[in-house]
Amino acid sequence: MDAHPLDPLTAAELVAGRDVLVAEGLVGETTRFPAVLPEEPAKSAVAVDRRIRFTLLDTATGRAGDAVVSVTKRELVSWEELGEGQPAFMFEEYDLAQQITKASEGWQAAMARRGLTDRIEHAFCAPLAPGYFPRDDEHGRVIRSLTFLRDDEHDSPWARPVEGLIVHIDLTERRVLRIEDEGDVPVPAEHGRYWDVPARTTLKPIEITQPEGPSFTVNGAEVVWEGWRLRVGFNAREGLTLHEVSFQDRSVLYRASVPEMVVPYGDIAPGRFWISYFDAGEYLLGKNANNLRLGCDCLGVIHYFPAFLADDHGRPVEIPQAICLHEEDHGIFWKHTDLAGHPEVRRSRRLVISSIVTVGNYDYGFYWYLYLDGTIELEAKATGVVFAGGGIPGEQQPHATEIAPGLFAPVHQHLFCARLDVAIDGERNSVHEVDVVGVPTGPDNPHGNAFTWQNTLLSKESEAIRLADPAKARVWEIRSADRTNRLGIPTAYQLVPRPSATLMAQPESSVHARATFATKHLWATPYRADERYPAGDRPNAHSGGAGLPAWTAADRDLTDTDVVLWHVFGLTHVPRPEDWPVMPVDRAGFMLRPYGFSDRNPALDLPSGGHCHT
């Protein structure tokens, strides 16, 4: 079967693309591949030309560039050296950072001064993105490292921080730039082995069966289910992507993904004030994807999609079960008991498309839900191990909570940005803000009970930089310019936020400049193929200002055009003892809900199921 232009990359394509670069003389002994991504075609493209964008890094010199290769034509399309910002970190650099740290006489001396010489062998030296705090000795590819003690190589690496010991490393020159060694806080004594707890025996099994098989069909990357049709994608940076999503043979989304997230910390301690991870741009979400396991990550009748990614040397690596597709029961869908006492009830069901990634200490699950009435929901689930530092047991800290004796977890945020290339009954759409408001008591509200809704067209980019407002039940409505329903109203979908805090850092902070996208819940832009990442192409070691703030400065028109919505949502985490030693799932997300897209309830024809008993 011929490849669709939006299909994920294959192993053969990755090999072919790398071969072109080798033939062009762009790959040498010290060349590495921090990012290898599908170069998706423009919407107007007719011919299938499968392309790959390779980010190349010469580890000996630090020079980096982007090469676009046509694997259809087996030729180099373009080559460009990178400007500001660094490519994402690579797996081999994590090991390199630890090797450089442990070989450093300064680090060894700091450990000896603290009486920890006998703990060096199994110590874990975490490789962490540096943020943007340029010092005179920091040029190019810099990473920072914090130290944690372990009893052995299988021990939890996050439970026993060596507080105040920070190592700054130049990865290109392979040397320690400087070491900070502040304070003499005791290392927490308690281990973090969450897997060592005896399992309870009181839970009885729950079995999920579909004896006639699932209701969906899969053809390559295309999925069809109960009026829905879409293509499932995956790439090394964003991870899971959705393409050409339609409901009842009408377009809803051209593309949907989570192209960036930022995890800023609110602690002023030397080992944490600079932490503001961009998990997509600095670490690559997709490259850190899990191979999902039946009965654990996914339950029921499952279809798995594989993903082929490139390793640090540009060679293909398969994640056999990177994406899970299944159906699940979701309670009642609609019900009414008539005046004669006769009930009619139909059960809800949703299609779940999910992927899970692990970036260091945290795990993130991304779950796209499709519902029987045309609703789309994205839920991001955060779990894993909270990042913590050491402190004096029982002391009060203004920026961190004590979650175990002497272990303090800083306040922080997980702010995701979804990119929604909407196509509500076609590409010509407009965005409206809809608020529900009270009406002042008077002639228009003589009894004081009235309220109504207000509609505001967001016609320019400057008007579409917005905050959610739960007090007004605020939603953003995307209306078609080309189709109306039977009531003569433009067909539409509403973006329904689940309100959450935006970026808490101050406007003059470094992270505010680098993650400006996270200061608002909504941005809207006209579609441009090269506007993909809300913090810019390379947030790693970037000073800021790239991405959404740069694009929207042009204040382009948004009326009846090909609109892209950027929605920020997430979690603000004040850690608690219940989050240790492994954190229960915390959830954030939003819905895209049809509003006048259908002429009536599109799920009236659901079968009753025959399982209701009195």
Side-chain angles (χ1 to χ4, degrees), residues 152-427:
D152 56 58
E153 62 179 343
H154 303 295
D155 198 10
S156 172
W158 309 109
R160 297 176 177 135
V162 180
E163 182 65 23
L165 179 55
I166 308 112
V167 181
H168 309 267
I169 300 164
D170 187 311
L171 290 169
T172 304
E173 298 181 1
R174 300 192 172 211
R175 66 183 181 91
V176 170
L177 296 171
R178 101 191 74 84
I179 293 176
E180 296 178 57
D181 180 17
E182 299 189 13
D184 292 294
V185 176
V187 176
E190 191 175 287
H191 69 74
R193 293 190 287 275
Y194 47 86
W195 57 88
D196 268 358
V197 179
R200 68 179 71 178
T201 59
T202 51
L203 284 176
K204 306 304 181 184
I206 293 179
E207 298 293 338
I208 298 175
T209 62
Q210 292 183 274
E212 298 179 26
S215 305
F216 58 78
T217 59
V218 178
N219 181 19
E222 185 182 59
V223 177
V224 178
W225 179 77
E226 298 303 308
W228 290 101
R229 185 182 299 270
L230 70 151
R231 304 192 71 85
V232 176
F234 196 91
N235 66 70
R237 183 162 178 168
E238 299 165 290
L240 176 60
T241 57
L242 304 183
H243 305 261
E244 297 183 335
V245 182
S246 66
F247 182 62
Q248 296 180 334
D249 296 322
R250 294 161 58 192
S251 64
V252 177
L253 287 165
Y254 180 76
R255 192 181 192 277
S257 68
V258 180
E260 194 56 88
M261 60 173 293
V262 63
V263 188
Y265 279 65
D267 197 351
I268 63 173
R272 288 175 289 282
F273 75 84
W274 41 269
I275 294 179
S276 54
Y277 309 128
F278 290 73
D279 283 344
E282 293 176 337
Y283 294 105
L284 300 186
L285 287 171
K287 195 173 179 179
N288 288 277
N290 292 186
N291 191 45
L292 303 175
R293 296 179 297 160
L294 182 63
C296 297
D297 299 305
C298 308
L299 195 60
V301 179
I302 307 299
H303 178 89
Y304 291 108
F305 293 91
F308 291 92
L309 307 173
D311 65 13
D312 293 345
H313 293 263
R315 297 187 175 92
V317 174
E318 182 183 13
I319 305 175
Q321 298 178 172
I323 302 168
C324 171
L325 175 72
H326 73 286
E327 296 172 281
E328 63 184 23
D329 182 87
H330 193 61
I332 65 169
F333 187 80
W334 58 263
K335 178 174 181 174
H336 181 61
T337 301
D338 64 20
L339 296 179
H342 174 71
E344 286 285 351
V345 61
R346 302 293 186 270
R347 290 201 65 79
S348 180
R349 182 185 302 202
R350 63 187 183 186
L351 187 70
V352 184
I353 309 164
S354 62
S355 181
I356 301 174
V357 305
T358 301
V359 185
N361 54 302
Y362 264 107
D363 301 77
Y364 300 103
F366 296 95
Y367 294 76
W368 289 95
Y369 303 128
L370 305 183
Y371 292 90
L372 296 164
D373 66 342
T375 295
I376 302 171
E377 183 180 9
L378 173 63
E379 186 171 56
K381 300 180 181 181
T383 180
V385 181
V386 294
F387 190 83
I392 305 301
E395 74 176 359
Q396 297 293 312
Q397 294 191 13
H399 309 293
T401 56
E402 189 173 18
I403 58 173
L407 189 69
F408 288 79
V411 294
H412 60 281
Q413 298 182 282
H414 305 260
L415 300 175
F416 305 87
C417 183
R419 180 182 181 273
L420 305 170
D421 187 347
V422 292
I424 310 303
D425 276 326
E427 292 184 353

Side-chain angles (χ1 to χ4, degrees), residues 61 64 73 91 159 193 213 226 260 263 318 431 501 512 582 599 603:
T61 65
K73 301 175 182 177
F91 289 166
R193 293 190 287 275
E226 298 303 308
E260 194 56 88
V263 188
E318 182 183 13
V431 184
H512 193 286
V582 65
D599 286 335

Side-chain angles (χ1 to χ4, degrees), residues 17-27 67 69 74-77 79:
R18 188 182 190 280
D19 287 346
V20 170
L21 297 178
V22 171
E24 291 285 342
L26 293 174
V27 180
V69 172
R74 297 294 199 271
E75 66 182 23
L76 180 67
V77 176
W79 163 255

Side-chain angles (χ1 to χ4, degrees), residues 7-59:
D7 280 353
L9 296 174
T10 67
E13 288 174 327
L14 289 166
V15 170
R18 188 182 190 280
D19 287 346
V20 170
L21 297 178
V22 171
E24 291 285 342
L26 293 174
V27 180
E29 184 178 343
T30 57
T31 301
R32 296 295 184 271
F33 295 75
V36 177
L37 305 171
E39 183 78 350
E40 294 178 13
K43 292 183 181 181
S44 59
V46 177
V48 176
D49 183 11
R50 298 275 289 170
R51 295 183 175 188
I52 304 177
R53 179 175 294 271
F54 293 86
T55 298
L56 307 181
L57 172 68
D58 187 337
T59 58

